[in-house]
Amino acid sequence: MSRSLRTEAIVLRSIRYGEADRILHLYTPEHGRLSAIAKGARRTKSRFGARLEPFFHLQTLLWQSRPSTSDLLTVTSAETLDAHGPLRERAAALDAAARACDAVARLFETGDPSPPAFHLLANELRLLDADARAAGAAHQLAFRLKLLVAGGFTPQLAHCAACGEADHLVGFSGAAGGVVCTACEASAFPLGQEAHAFLVAALGRPLADAPEAAPRALRQAERAISETAEHHAHVRLRPLPRAAA
Ligand SMILES: [Zn+2]
């Protein structure tokens, strides 16, 4: 039994292995997370060239010889769909791209595919190429929020996540799954109006049109997103750099 798999993939991680090989962590639209070895990839005359670095969007042909004994596929060929050269020129964009790939790797750890998560990551990398603002804290939080939605972990923002009250929403509770009212705020932290408005706008708008907010509101929004990921996806997201917030 063997199989050959032709798929688009984004390189999340690229690890040196042995004398000349690389092990890639890939995210694919239809197969979720895959690991694959690229044999001889670090030789100077490798047919893969430099295209097995993180953030490369590839069209790959992968081969699995013995499905029962190993989850590691072999990269047969890889063509570049998008190298994401521009984002590599700017430290902040490079850092944001690494955090985006890390968040996808943590939230979508298993082989369960999520085409929306794949397309969201591809979109995020294109925006990081095109627009310096995409490396800012507000944009990165909007990306994370949409990633939570793709994973099925949408926080409740319209009414109290505990009792359904529509007014007096003053806190956010990761355990309750969203904003909470004054009566239910025991397990919550304070969430100001600006942070609440930011989360609502970030959910509703396209990623390219992510809202802005003051640093204090962004810190609250980050905490809401992080606690949602911890309570519901059981995943810790890397904190955003403080300078960017
Ligand atoms: Zn309530």
Side-chain angles (χ1 to χ4, degrees):
M1 277 291 284
S2 61
R3 65 171 181 157
S4 185
L5 199 66
R6 185 168 172 78
T7 179
E8 276 186 56
I10 292 173
V11 180
L12 301 179
R13 287 187 72 195
S14 178
I15 303 156
R16 290 159 177 254
Y17 183 78
E19 293 267 303
D21 304 341
R22 280 189 177 280
I23 292 194
L24 307 178
H25 292 178
L26 302 171
Y27 200 72
T28 69
E30 305 300 335
H31 307 280
R33 272 276 295 273
L34 296 174
S35 296
I37 186 164
K39 291 184 178 150
R42 279 154 54 220
R43 295 193 207 286
T44 44
K45 289 183 176 170
S46 165
R47 68 188 187 282
F48 297 119
R51 66 179 72 93
L52 302 181
E53 297 293 329
F55 322 136
F56 266 82
H57 185 162
L58 304 169
Q59 180 65 253
T60 62
L61 191 61
L62 307 172
W63 173 258
Q64 187 169 40
S65 53
R66 287 170 298 167
S68 56
T69 55
S70 170
D71 290 334
L72 193 65
L73 290 85
T74 300
V75 183
T76 305
S77 73
E79 296 156 43
T80 305
L81 296 178
D82 196 335
H84 294 298
L87 75 81
R88 296 171 202 275
E89 310 278 305
R90 286 172 277 124
L94 201 58
D95 183 70
R99 284 168 200 280
C101 286
D102 184 70
V104 170
R106 292 184 195 214
L107 280 167
F108 298 88
E109 196 178 7
T110 66
D112 293 338
S114 170
F118 177 87
H119 295 298
L120 184 61
L121 179 61
N123 190 17
E124 172 74 348
L125 295 175
R126 279 194 297 271
L127 289 169
L128 285 168
D129 275 340
D131 184 353
R133 281 175 309 171
H139 179 94
Q140 290 190 63
L141 290 173
F143 169 76
R144 287 183 178 191
L145 192 57
K146 289 179 183 299
L147 204 56
L148 285 176
V149 173
F153 308 111
T154 312
Q156 173 58 259
L157 298 174
H159 50 74
C160 177
C163 76
E165 167 70 49
D167 298 318
H168 313 296
L169 302 169
V170 294
F172 188 97
S173 165
V179 293
V180 290
C181 73
T182 43
C184 301
E185 67 178 329
S187 68
F189 67 88
L191 187 83
Q193 267 188 357
E194 189 184 358
H196 188 187
F198 171 84
L199 290 171
V200 171
L203 263 189
R205 290 198 209 166
L207 191 58
D209 190 27
E212 279 293 339
R216 184 164 172 272
L218 291 180
R219 282 194 293 275
Q220 292 176 357
E222 182 178 7
R223 188 168 170 190
I225 289 165
S226 298
E227 292 197 6
T228 300
E230 281 173 32
H231 278 274
H232 301 283
H234 310 291
V235 160
R236 288 186 83 89
L237 297 173
R238 278 166 60 187
L240 292 181
R242 271 301 136 224

